[in-house]
Amino acid sequence: MAFGRSPGRVAGLPREAFRPSPIFLGILALFAVSGWMTWTGFGSEQLDVFLFVASGWTVSLCLHEYAHAIVAYKGGDHDVAHRGYLTLDPLKYAHPLLSIVLPVVFLLIGGIGLPGGAVWVNHSVIRNRFTDSLISFVGPATNMVLAVVLVLPFALGMDNGGTEAFWAALAFLAFLQLTASILNFVPMPGVDGGNLLFPWLSPQWQRGFNHVAPYGMLLLIALLWSPVINDWFFTVVFAFGDALGLPSYLVSDGLSLFRFWS
């Protein structure tokens, strides 16, 4: 999720500004190890799935925000590098409510992938409106690409080895990517889909947009509590999943295993 208008700064950048952070590499290692544990059935099945899905989701969150940041950097906002956005460090994207509280709550109780990071972009230095829109587009597009990659083994009939828990976890992780992508493409102020449209709005509409934007994600979440909208949303998500070849029964199994406390 890309936000904000802040003063830019162009200066020489150390290589560390572009290197993956130790925190990200640690999460990536946890994803790989927990994936192996889930594949082989090592240890507690439900704990393995929880670690695999949680670490995989965090990796995807970092990639989502990195996509925003790298396009912003190429588009003229070099300050994203000074803020550490190009290191894939999840702590650099942190926003107390959007990054921690809401994503965790929704993942635990609803099985919805809610990207919660925040990349602050100085839109005034971006070269053109197309690039400005592209900055918002690439975040949810990254989630969609990850969903396709995670679904490929099912679509190609490669889901033969490993344990059933592994494939259930992989299906649930793919499902989270779909929910994140579809939610973020909603054309609402404060969400990537709305930010994508912002550069093309008239000044009057942009002023109204800026008034609503700080509450856009909260409004979207509130709408999801409506049974009608919630049913419609999941119908759309499962329709996309079916089109890609994602087994819906494995998604349900993955959610059950992930929520080991219930």
Side-chain angles (χ1 to χ4, degrees):
M1 194 180 305
F3 290 104
R5 280 160 172 65
S6 57
R9 176 180 60 181
V10 178
L13 292 167
R15 292 182 179 180
E16 289 75 15
F18 302 92
R19 290 175 180 167
S21 72
I23 294 176
F24 175 77
L25 294 177
I27 296 171
L28 193 61
L30 176 60
F31 177 59
V33 171
S34 59
W36 171 82
M37 293 169 64
T38 310
W39 175 272
T40 60
F42 180 86
S44 168
E45 180 181 69
Q46 290 184 306
L47 181 59
D48 292 348
V49 169
F50 178 84
L51 292 175
F52 181 57
V53 172
S55 59
W57 171 243
T58 305
V59 168
S60 72
L61 169 62
C62 294
L63 293 175
H64 174 114
E65 301 303 337
Y66 177 84
H68 287 312
I70 192 63
V71 175
Y73 180 81
K74 296 293 186 180
D77 183 7
H78 291 233
D79 205 30
V80 296
H82 288 284
R83 295 193 185 94
Y85 294 159
L86 301 180
T87 65
L88 292 159
D89 186 344
L91 299 182
K92 299 296 183 180
Y93 307 128
H95 181 288
L97 180 63
L98 296 178
S99 293
I100 301 173
V101 178
L102 291 179
V104 169
V105 168
F106 266 73
L107 188 57
L108 295 182
I109 69 174
I112 296 177
L114 189 68
V119 168
W120 292 89
V121 175
N122 180 14
H123 293 272
S124 64
V125 300
I126 301 302
R127 294 190 178 95
N128 53 61
R129 290 189 293 178
F130 175 79
T131 303
D132 207 355
S133 290
L134 187 62
I135 292 170
S136 299
F137 173 80
V138 293
T142 297
N143 291 112
M144 186 59 73
V145 170
L146 291 173
V148 172
V149 171
L150 293 172
V151 168
L152 274 178
F154 303 105
L156 298 178
M158 299 167 57
D159 51 329
N160 296 320
T163 64
E164 186 175 343
F166 174 84
W167 295 110
L170 195 70
F172 180 52
L173 189 55
F175 177 80
L176 293 177
Q177 302 303 322
L178 284 175
T179 61
S181 183
I182 293 170
L183 275 177
N184 271 278
F185 272 131
V186 173
M188 176 176 287
V191 180
D192 286 331
N195 295 335
L196 188 157
L197 300 175
F198 180 86
W200 308 94
L201 300 177
S202 67
Q204 180 180 359
W205 277 92
Q206 287 182 345
R207 286 193 294 271
F209 184 103
N210 286 330
H211 284 302
V212 178
Y215 315 103
M217 181 57 75
L218 295 177
L219 289 172
L220 184 59
I221 291 170
L223 290 174
L224 286 174
W225 287 109
S226 164
V228 174
I229 295 177
N230 188 276
D231 287 346
W232 177 85
F233 170 73
F234 280 108
T235 297
V236 171
V237 173
F238 277 110
F240 270 93
D242 290 342
L244 292 175
L246 178 64
S248 57
Y249 73 93
L250 281 179
V251 173
S252 178
D253 291 347
L255 174 59
S256 296
L257 288 168
F258 176 78
R259 299 178 63 187
F260 64 87
W261 56 90
S262 60

